[in-house]
Amino acid sequence: MFAQKLLLPAMAVFSIAAAQTATICSQPTVTVNSQADASLLADCSTVSGSIIIGSTASGTIAINGPQQVKGNLTSQSAGGLVSLSSTSISSIGGEFRLFNLTFLSTLQFDALTSVKTIYWEALPALPSLAFSGPLSKADSVTISNTFLTTLSGINLNTVSTLQIDNNNNLKAFDTQIANITNAVNINANGNLLAVTFPNLIWAANMTFRNVSSVKIPSLATVNGSLGFYGNYMDSIAAPNLTSVGSFATGVGSLAIVANGKLANITFPALRSVGGADQIANNTALDAISFASLTSVGGAIDFSGNFTTPELPKLEDVKGGFNVQSQQAITCSGFEAQSGGKGSIIQGKFICKSATATTETLDGSSSTTSSSSSASSTSKKSDATNFGFSEAALGFSLFG
């Protein structure tokens, strides 16, 4: 009887503790303002709702215990937060959002392999990631304005949208992604950034700006547009790329514009471009060759300082043809292919040889001087006469 009297209160205490644990695990939102708050989640295997790291959180927050967070994991404007970690969380069903965390210097998630969305912005003290999972599944990833030097630990198989921008210290991004179903935009990061997609086969849209190198050895198809703008690489190679955009719909362009050091482009297998094929203001590029190109749904628009372009298999250009070079080039062969409906080149034809000023279809010009070449946008041309929209001329997937 005495033992029963002792046991009953103990069981009651255990039941209360279990009920409290069950309650916090199933709450729609759990707010963590301290390590003591985070420790309350230790007995949860699954957090049914979202975890918010409050703006007053500081120092180290370690969320150890839960394996799954069905909602979001967010921290915004927690100015005193220095370290955020978890040894147990393997999946986040919603958004992993970190924003304006000025002193966050450690981000360590040992087990994390899957999230719905990553959105990290304004993390000026974060130099690296400690994700040993690695993180291999995410629908959308945005990493902007951080101090990261590498994205090691993020190695996705497939992603919908990938936005990497304004990470001035970022020097390398190497990922095993095989498919990009919406868009990738890598823009305005450190000028030493080397980007490698060794296994990428298919992408919807791709834009690269201000990078030192891009390696896409396996890329075969881009369903939308592919653009290289203002980069620092000396060569661009896509040895297995066969199509950009859709020739049937006239959607999806190839643009290689204002890459000052670019001396070589290699697209030996490219057969079709759905929209425009534009190469402009690449001052070191003296040769243009598309050995397999047969069909262009928009216009061909080449301007710069190059020898006669090589387009030996050209069969169908729905839009116009604008080729202007500061070097002496031969226009007669291309002119013989023009003439409107029924001809290979069906739109307006312009070919200028040894011209001091070259101009693209959107009115952007480049002028030879004794010391350098300069470009400026001075007017709008009758680009529509070439079957060439302004959006195709200077497309950007993210603004």
Side-chain angles (χ1 to χ4, degrees), residues 222-247:
V222 176
N223 270 16
S225 292
L226 173 61
F228 302 86
Y229 302 93
N231 296 293
Y232 309 110
M233 73 274 284
D234 59 12
S235 66
I236 297 172
N240 290 298
L241 182 64
T242 60
S243 64
V244 175
S246 168
F247 180 73

Side-chain angles (χ1 to χ4, degrees), residues 347-370:
K348 187 173 180 179
F349 179 84
I350 295 175
C351 186
K352 293 183 179 181
S353 171
T355 178
T357 300
T358 61
E359 194 170 274
T360 63
L361 293 180
D362 64 347
S364 220
S365 62
S366 179
T367 304
T368 301
S369 68
S370 59

Side-chain angles (χ1 to χ4, degrees), residues 186 208-214 227-233 236 257-262:
I186 299 179
F208 300 97
R209 298 179 190 264
N210 317 121
V211 304
S212 68
S213 69
V214 176
F228 302 86
Y229 302 93
N231 296 293
Y232 309 110
M233 73 274 284
I236 297 172
V257 178
N259 304 283
K261 296 182 179 180
L262 184 65

